Amino acid sequence: RVAVVGAGVSGLAATKCCLDEGLEPTCFEQSQDIGGLWRYTEHIEDGRPSLYPSVISNTSKEMSAFSDFPYPEDFPVFLPNARLLDYLRCYAEHFSLREHIKFGTTVVSIRKHPDFATTGQWNVVTEADGKQASHIFDAVMVCSGNFSEPSLPLHCFPGMEKFQGQYFHSRQYKHPDVFQGKRVLVVGMGNSGVDIAVEASRVASKVTICTCRGAWLLSRVFDHGYPWDMVFNTRLMSLIKNNLPRPLSWALVNYKMNQRLNHENYGLQPEKSCLVREPVLNDDLPSYILTGRITIKPGVKEFKASSVVFHNCPEEEPIDIVVFCTGYNVSFPFLEESVVKVENKHASLYKYVFPTHLQKHTLAVIGLIKPLGAIVPLTEMQARWVTRVFKGLCQLPPQSVMEKEVNEKKKNQVKWFGLSFDEVLKTEWLTYMDALASFIGAKPSVLGLLCRDPWLAFTIFFGPCSPYQYRLGGPGHWEGARQAILTQWDRTLKPTRTRIPAGSSSSF
């Protein structure tokens, strides 16, 4: 029996993978519906992620699909949150997942069973309708996400107590009306910060983004108009990046990132280009900077009653509203601190999944990672591996080996949840997916396919590393995987090629 905490993307994947392996999952979801982060609500709910209605996925549908469940071909290439939620509902219905979910049920605590050392079991206390219940589970999959507890470090901003204007964390943002005619400062340059700044600039009198470190900026529309991740995340690109000497690898990254726009000219160039977090995905920011709607400034030096002073900028800038886009804290309120150790917004987990020190590896964290790539197939791959570890079909290395790897990663860790951009390039999305797939025997063999199915091998190596590759063989083999790979560009272009001029080629 496996307890699954949360019914978002990770929780649905975990529940389905448990069923695939013949385990008995019970998924506890504190709200009344599935979707997690992707289920928009107008009101902010305690303990739940909160997004704004205009959120669109940063990864394309073909790269963001569960590996045995492609998106419908008429879905847009990048998905508004409502369409992504539709997909998750279809997935849950197709694999009959809802009957394993207990809605309106909060997990209060998860503690080791008294005989944990021999059984690996857990005592799970839940609460529903004001009544608590206790359960015993053989294993636990924590799929509660990392977007519920905002990080708002006001003590890091001198003079904040003097500021008389309005301020709030990005988690509280819903609609741009609040910025009408105001002078807005957005602190932080992650994806949410840039999204909110772009929306605010359409109604505000002035919008400024301040960033200490800068950021690489990517567009969803990449080379030749194709989705960025279908061009970027290929086996050929991965081979080149991971086998070049580091200086050459960084030179290639700098060249590629600056090909669309010179980041220095826009005030975006990262301070230390090899030590920044994942790039920002936004299609509008460059043109909004060019048209003066948005200004980029360095970090805040000091707040005053109705203005702000930036580092290396002597003049004060008047502001009315501050939006802090300062990320989230990693938090597991239902777990004892000794089970999952969190330091500097980073949880010490082997392969970002397993606590290294437990006597029995019967607890796993799913989805606590920030890759340069789609999170949906990645959490699914984690869940496929975890369920086979629970069954005893996959073995983890000795504790000393796992701890050594975790400590090595910490050395390169920027104080940011999940992967730093530095690690993304060393252990990027495709490399991580392949590593987990190899643990369960589902990693595709390009050389093996070259003899049996050369066209498929060619597509796998030179084309996008879509999730279906990990269903071609091994446990969880799906008969439709080959066809899904060979038709991925058809599904990508179907919703965009709504007008085909006479005499044009119908191929991509």
Side-chain angles (χ1 to χ4, degrees):
R1 298 182 65 227
V2 181
V4 178
V5 184
V9 168
S10 301
L12 293 175
T15 303
K16 194 258 185 184
C17 290
C18 283
L19 295 172
D20 288 347
E21 291 293 345
L23 304 176
E24 186 185 325
T26 302
C27 179
F28 299 106
E29 169 56 46
Q30 67 177 11
S31 70
Q32 297 299 329
D33 201 357
I34 65 169
L37 173 67
W38 294 101
R39 185 170 67 82
Y40 172 78
T41 55
E42 186 63 33
H43 301 290
I44 299 168
E45 301 173 14
D46 286 342
R48 272 203 71 239
S50 175
L51 51 74
Y52 36 99
S54 59
V55 167
I56 295 173
S57 67
N58 284 335
T59 51
S60 62
K61 67 176 182 179
E62 287 304 300
M63 302 296 279
S64 303
F66 289 109
S67 59
D68 55 357
F69 195 71
Y71 276 86
E73 62 177 16
D74 61 332
F75 271 46
V77 180
F78 289 94
L79 298 137
N81 61 82
R83 299 304 295 276
L84 205 153
L85 181 59
D86 288 342
Y87 171 73
L88 295 179
R89 285 174 172 157
C90 291
Y91 179 76
E93 181 180 350
H94 183 79
F95 293 107
S96 303
L97 303 183
R98 280 186 178 271
E99 60 199 69
H100 301 278
I101 304 172
K102 293 187 180 297
F103 293 106
T105 306
T106 301
V107 174
V108 177
S109 73
I110 298 174
R111 300 287 183 266
K112 292 178 183 176
H113 195 270
D115 59 1
F116 177 83
T118 54
T119 65
Q121 290 183 326
W122 298 86
N123 287 333
V124 178
V125 177
T126 60
E127 185 174 310
D129 299 323
K131 297 178 182 178
Q132 289 196 353
S134 184
H135 322 261
I136 297 175
F137 285 95
D138 300 305
V140 174
M141 299 174 81
V142 178
C143 307
S144 52
N146 187 57
F147 298 98
S148 299
E149 187 179 303
S151 173
L152 190 58
L154 298 180
H155 62 279
C156 296
F157 298 92
M160 191 66 213
E161 69 281 356
K162 304 174 193 170
F163 182 63
Q164 296 176 2
Q166 182 183 356
Y167 67 87
F168 55 88
H169 189 274
S170 57
R171 182 174 182 264
Q172 296 173 268
Y173 172 72
K174 292 293 181 182
H175 303 284
D177 308 358
V178 66
F179 303 125
Q180 187 73 45
K182 304 287 188 181
R183 297 165 296 190
V184 182
L185 172 64
V186 175
V187 177
M189 199 169 176
N191 284 297
S192 295
V194 173
D195 281 354
I196 292 170
V198 165
E199 287 198 5
S201 69
R202 295 170 186 149
V203 297
S205 63
K206 186 175 185 181
V207 174
T208 302
I209 300 176
C210 73
T211 172
C212 294
R213 295 186 300 218
W216 293 122
L217 189 69
L218 275 178
S219 171
R220 291 180 178 86
V221 184
F222 212 62
D223 295 350
H224 308 293
Y226 296 127
W228 76 270
D229 51 352
M230 295 184 78
V231 177
F232 194 87
N233 283 332
T234 69
R235 294 191 175 277
L236 175 62
M237 283 285 287
S238 179
L239 189 69
I240 293 170
K241 284 184 296 185
N242 290 322
N243 287 280
L244 283 176
R246 173 156 290 218
L248 276 179
S249 179
W250 279 113
L252 175 65
V253 170
N254 272 276
Y255 169 76
K256 197 65 187 172
M257 292 294 182
N258 282 307
Q259 201 171 20
R260 176 185 169 218
L261 60 91
N262 185 318
H263 282 63
E264 192 172 338
N265 291 346
Y266 285 75
L268 302 172
Q269 182 75 19
E271 289 282 328
K272 295 181 180 178
S273 60
C274 62
L275 287 176
V276 291
R277 59 185 184 270
E278 77 283 357
V280 172
L281 267 291
N282 194 275
D283 304 275
D284 299 315
L285 183 61
S287 62
Y288 280 44
I289 293 173
L290 280 179
T291 54
R293 289 183 174 188
I294 295 175
T295 306
I296 308 295
K297 291 283 189 178
V300 171
K301 182 179 180 182
E302 181 186 7
F303 279 101
K304 299 198 173 180
S306 58
S307 63
V308 64
V309 180
F310 300 105
H311 287 291
N312 305 319
C313 299
E315 68 277 4
E316 295 180 22
E317 185 157 323
I319 52 169
D320 304 305
I321 299 180
V322 183
V323 186
F324 287 98
C325 302
T326 43
Y328 293 81
N329 296 317
V330 176
S331 174
F332 304 104
F334 45 83
L335 285 177
E336 291 178 312
E337 195 174 327
S338 60
V339 175
V340 178
K341 298 173 184 175
V342 177
E343 298 173 330
N344 296 325
K345 298 187 181 181
H346 173 72
S348 297
L349 301 167
Y350 175 64
K351 299 296 183 188
Y352 304 96
V353 174
F354 284 102
T356 58
H357 60 284
L358 295 178
Q359 297 146 301
K360 297 285 185 179
H361 297 293
T362 54
L363 182 139
V365 180
I366 308 293
L368 193 65
I369 187 170
K370 197 86 169 178
L372 182 55
I375 194 72
V376 173
L378 188 146
T379 60
E380 180 195 39
M381 184 61 74
Q382 289 179 331
R384 290 174 69 185
W385 174 44
V386 165
T387 50
R388 292 184 71 77
V389 170
F390 288 169
K391 282 187 72 176
L393 299 173
C394 292
Q395 300 297 320
L396 297 182
Q399 180 177 336
S400 59
V401 174
M402 293 192 289
E403 286 180 347
K404 183 180 178 182
E405 180 175 313
V406 169
N407 290 331
E408 283 295 315
K409 288 192 178 297
K410 276 185 183 178
K411 290 179 183 177
N412 297 316
Q413 192 71 35
V414 174
K415 291 183 180 179
W416 187 258
F417 141 67
L419 289 171
S420 66
F421 190 34
D422 179 52
E423 286 179 292
V424 168
L425 290 178
K426 289 190 303 177
T427 310
E428 33 96 27
W429 184 87
L430 198 155
T431 306
Y432 183 76
M433 290 283 284
D434 272 359
L436 298 193
S438 66
F439 294 160
I440 65 172
K443 180 184 173 183
S445 169
V446 178
L447 289 177
L449 285 169
L450 202 54
C451 303
R452 303 193 312 272
D453 197 336
W455 180 241
L456 181 61
F458 178 90
T459 306
I460 284 175
F461 185 72
F462 292 100
C465 182
S466 47
Y468 325 118
Q469 293 190 14
Y470 299 103
R471 292 284 182 177
L472 287 168
H477 167 71
W478 174 46
E479 289 293 338
R482 181 183 186 275
Q483 183 64 13
I485 293 167
L486 296 179
T487 55
Q488 58 197 0
W489 284 108
D490 297 334
R491 287 188 300 279
T492 300
L493 296 174
K494 175 69 183 277
T496 62
R497 301 198 75 175
T498 52
R499 173 187 170 269
I500 301 177
S504 72
S505 168
S506 60
S507 67
F508 68 85

